[in-house]
Amino acid sequence: MTNEFHERNRLSWDAATAAHNSHKGDQAAFFRNGGSTLFPEEVELLGSIEGLDLLHLQCNSGQDTLSLARLGANVTGVDISDEAIRFARDLSEQSTISAIFHRADLLTYFAEQASTPGRFDRVFASYGTLCWLSDIDAWAQGVAHSLKPGGRFVLVEFHPFAMIFDEQWNMRYDYFDQTPIASDGVSDYVALSGEGLAPDGYEAGVETFVNPHPSVEFFWGIGDVVTALAKNGLVIEQLREYPYANGWKGFERMRDSGGRRMVPPQDMVRLPLMYGIAARRAGR
């Protein structure tokens, strides 16, 4: 059944990805002119990556992948969406920034790589990735298996506590309910976030996008994530929580507090909206 869920999500992402990129203008020119889509949080947790082999999980259309390559890493990106990987390869060629891209369901990719462990100095994932994974333990095992001894895994993700709210900030979802959630499909969250997710300037692009393919999301609390990583031999070195969400206006009346850090409206208390993990595979 999980394979069926992943296939639904692949189709949904194929449809949404085209809409997302329609709002971002000439991305190849953005990169040729020195642009980067990375935020300070992930750069700090990753540390220096020059000359290192880096695996970027669920890389979407490759913007962060190419930004990591520009910092000197040898980067491999993996994503389930055919449209995302097609766009990423084109963007790599047009921007003249080299990276390798694989189109694959991430859990399938990990299984296929089981015979070649320890290939990467860094493994990286960010922003809205875990909710598309049906098996957090298989994911953590794949992360650990991909790292060289002493290698580091970095995750920057939206905080699961924020997911108890609906878009109007009403408490609606049970934090501890891990029943898969069916939805109308991957939304055009780039349109909803405007310049927050279009650093080179927002363009109208596709308007009133409706995804023809429904999707299925999974919920993993911070305890689930940390436990899965620890069970598979990773030493948690940092766990940080942030009172803002980079780029993403996921709720009504969110505002930019500076640097595209989106925070709740002024009449609300601060909430954990994002978290970061840095973990090391034991050994040298």
Side-chain angles (χ1 to χ4, degrees), residues 176-269:
F176 295 99
D177 184 0
Q178 293 190 331
T179 305
I181 300 173
S183 76
D184 293 335
V186 181
S187 71
D188 190 358
Y189 56 79
V190 177
L192 298 173
S193 299
E195 292 189 358
L197 292 176
D200 195 33
Y202 178 81
E203 296 187 1
V206 174
E207 297 182 355
T208 61
F209 171 75
V210 176
N211 201 317
H213 301 288
S215 58
V216 179
E217 297 181 35
F218 306 88
F219 182 85
W220 307 110
I222 288 182
D224 300 314
V225 177
V226 170
T227 299
L229 293 171
K231 279 172 54 179
N232 284 282
L234 294 181
V235 178
I236 308 298
E237 296 184 322
Q238 296 186 61
L239 172 57
R240 299 186 178 185
E241 296 175 288
Y242 307 95
Y244 51 82
N246 282 339
W248 177 58
K249 290 183 178 179
F251 306 94
E252 284 188 353
R253 300 186 294 132
M254 290 188 79
R255 53 198 172 89
D256 190 341
S257 64
R260 296 188 291 134
R261 290 174 169 174
M262 305 303 171
V263 297
Q266 290 182 326
D267 58 351
M268 289 184 60
V269 298

Side-chain angles (χ1 to χ4, degrees), residues 25-247:
D26 189 344
Q27 296 183 67
F30 171 74
F31 281 105
R32 289 195 300 269
N33 292 330
S36 172
T37 56
L38 297 174
F39 286 91
E41 290 78 12
E42 52 256 37
V43 174
E44 179 184 0
L45 290 171
L46 280 166
S48 175
I49 58 174
E50 184 172 1
L52 300 185
D53 297 321
L54 188 151
L55 176 62
H56 184 190
L57 310 179
Q58 294 162 278
C59 66
N60 199 267
S61 296
Q63 294 92 345
D64 283 359
T65 316
L66 299 183
S67 298
L68 294 163
R70 171 156 279 153
L71 294 177
N74 307 307
V75 190
T76 299
V78 180
D79 198 89
I80 196 171
S81 167
D82 304 83
E83 172 62 20
I85 292 300
R86 181 201 64 75
F87 188 96
R89 288 170 175 162
D90 288 347
L91 186 59
S92 174
E93 180 179 354
Q94 293 167 15
S95 65
T96 69
I97 303 174
S98 179
I100 297 170
F101 292 99
H102 293 293
R103 207 300 304 169
D105 182 315
L106 182 58
L107 299 186
T108 302
Y109 173 83
F110 280 148
E112 292 173 347
Q113 299 300 310
S115 61
T116 55
R119 294 174 53 202
F120 296 96
D121 302 287
R122 297 284 190 275
V123 175
F124 173 68
S126 65
Y127 304 113
T129 57
L130 298 187
C131 65
W132 305 107
L133 299 174
S134 60
D135 189 335
I136 200 70
D137 288 319
W139 166 82
Q141 183 179 50
V143 167
H145 198 74
S146 300
L147 282 167
K148 298 176 183 178
R152 185 186 303 166
F153 170 62
V154 168
L155 171 71
V156 180
E157 181 61 286
F158 299 121
H159 203 293
F161 174 75
M163 300 303 118
I164 71 172
F165 298 100
D166 64 17
E167 293 179 356
Q168 291 76 41
W169 294 106
N170 299 307
M171 289 189 179
R172 179 177 175 185
Y173 302 103
D174 185 339
Y175 184 92
F176 295 99
D177 184 0
Q178 293 190 331
T179 305
I181 300 173
S183 76
D184 293 335
V186 181
S187 71
D188 190 358
Y189 56 79
V190 177
L192 298 173
S193 299
E195 292 189 358
L197 292 176
D200 195 33
Y202 178 81
E203 296 187 1
V206 174
E207 297 182 355
T208 61
F209 171 75
V210 176
N211 201 317
H213 301 288
S215 58
V216 179
E217 297 181 35
F218 306 88
F219 182 85
W220 307 110
I222 288 182
D224 300 314
V225 177
V226 170
T227 299
L229 293 171
K231 279 172 54 179
N232 284 282
L234 294 181
V235 178
I236 308 298
E237 296 184 322
Q238 296 186 61
L239 172 57
R240 299 186 178 185
E241 296 175 288
Y242 307 95
Y244 51 82
N246 282 339

